[in-house]
Amino acid sequence: PAAAVAATVLTQWPFEEMVKLLLSLARRHALLKEEVDDRLRSAAEKCFTSEQFQLLGPNDLAGMVLATLGHGWSRLHEVAGQELLRRLPHFPAKELLMVSPVLFQKHAAQLIGAWPKVLAGGAPKDPKAADGLLPDQLVQLARLVGDQSESEAPDAKQKLMEDLCERLLPKVTELSANGRAQLSQLCKTEGANATHLAKLQKSLVAMAGIQAESGAASSR
């Protein structure tokens, strides 16, 4: 019932609220009746023209990429995705990471080429995320890049992985336990970036040793 009502009044809402609603409904898309979903799509298409997508802020645009994917609205999803890609590399790292698992599926080469410039843009307001991403998020991105086929811009992929390894090396101590576990798994990867990953693995081992000594000392 709530989704049906939303489809009726969607065009009257501020765009930011529309995006939040569509994202929320996309998470339970399987429960929506086809008729209701069609009405939502029709209302969304009236609101989100190509021109309107150009006016959306980064967070709302990334949200629409995810929402339209969740609803299976291929035309709107394509428009949202193309607008985001058009803005590269001038797009915030945090919001780009949100949609990278989706965009890597069809636009891997373009993303791999853009990410170094996105990271170089950084987020100067947050000293913990000087390159726009927190240490755990850098690991997440590195794993995404590592999962891409070697046929997708191999030289650019290697340079991006080298860049990510260099950014991560001084931040190993800032990783969460899960981040360290994810990085450790990534470091087991063979290939062109083995040397850079080996440095990270060595840092992880050293950190684990320090933590073990500290734990032993505190238990005495």
Side-chain angles (χ1 to χ4, degrees):
V5 172
T8 303
V9 301
L10 186 66
T11 56
Q12 303 171 26
W13 290 22
F15 284 103
E16 182 178 351
E17 296 305 315
M18 286 190 224
V19 174
K20 290 179 180 178
L21 173 65
L22 293 175
L23 266 174
S24 176
L25 293 175
R27 295 188 182 101
R28 52 179 186 274
H29 177 258
L31 302 177
L32 296 181
K33 293 182 179 180
E34 184 176 350
E35 177 188 356
V36 173
D37 189 60
D38 285 343
R39 288 167 60 190
L40 277 171
R41 177 184 50 75
S42 179
E45 287 178 344
K46 291 178 181 178
C47 299
F48 293 98
T49 62
S50 297
E51 292 74 18
Q52 181 54 46
F53 274 119
Q54 294 176 18
L55 299 176
L56 292 180
N59 191 61
D60 288 339
L61 181 56
M64 281 302 293
V65 170
L66 298 177
T68 52
L69 176 68
H71 284 284
W73 299 341
S74 57
R75 192 190 73 79
L76 278 175
H77 179 66
E78 179 67 18
V79 175
Q82 287 300 322
E83 171 57 24
L84 194 154
L85 292 169
R86 184 187 69 81
R87 299 187 192 184
L88 294 178
H90 308 294
F91 201 82
K94 180 181 177 181
E95 284 74 15
L96 183 57
L97 182 62
M98 284 171 51
V99 295
S100 282
V102 174
L103 296 180
F104 263 125
Q105 295 176 22
K106 292 185 178 180
H107 308 283
Q110 187 172 352
L111 278 186
I112 288 172
W115 259 114
K117 295 179 181 178
V118 174
L119 291 170
K125 293 182 180 180
D126 186 352
K128 292 184 178 180
D131 33 33
L133 297 178
L134 297 171
D136 277 28
Q137 292 173 322
L138 287 171
V139 173
Q140 182 183 348
L141 176 57
R143 294 201 66 192
L144 281 173
V145 175
D147 287 342
Q148 302 310 305
S149 169
E150 292 298 331
S151 63
E152 294 287 356
D155 292 340
K157 176 184 175 182
Q158 181 176 347
K159 289 180 180 179
L160 175 54
M161 284 296 290
E162 290 174 0
D163 185 6
L164 289 169
C165 289
E166 291 297 326
R167 291 175 184 277
L168 274 167
L169 195 57
K171 298 182 179 181
V172 170
T173 57
E174 300 174 32
L175 290 170
S176 68
N178 182 62
R180 292 195 299 273
Q182 295 294 319
L183 181 57
S184 179
Q185 184 174 351
L186 177 65
C187 287
K188 298 175 183 177
T189 305
E190 300 291 336
N193 294 288
T195 300
H196 292 81
L197 291 172
K199 293 180 181 178
L200 285 171
Q201 180 63 37
K202 184 177 180 180
S203 183
L204 284 171
V205 171
M207 181 179 172
I210 293 173
Q211 290 180 330
E213 290 180 4
S214 176
S218 62
S219 63
R220 291 172 187 169

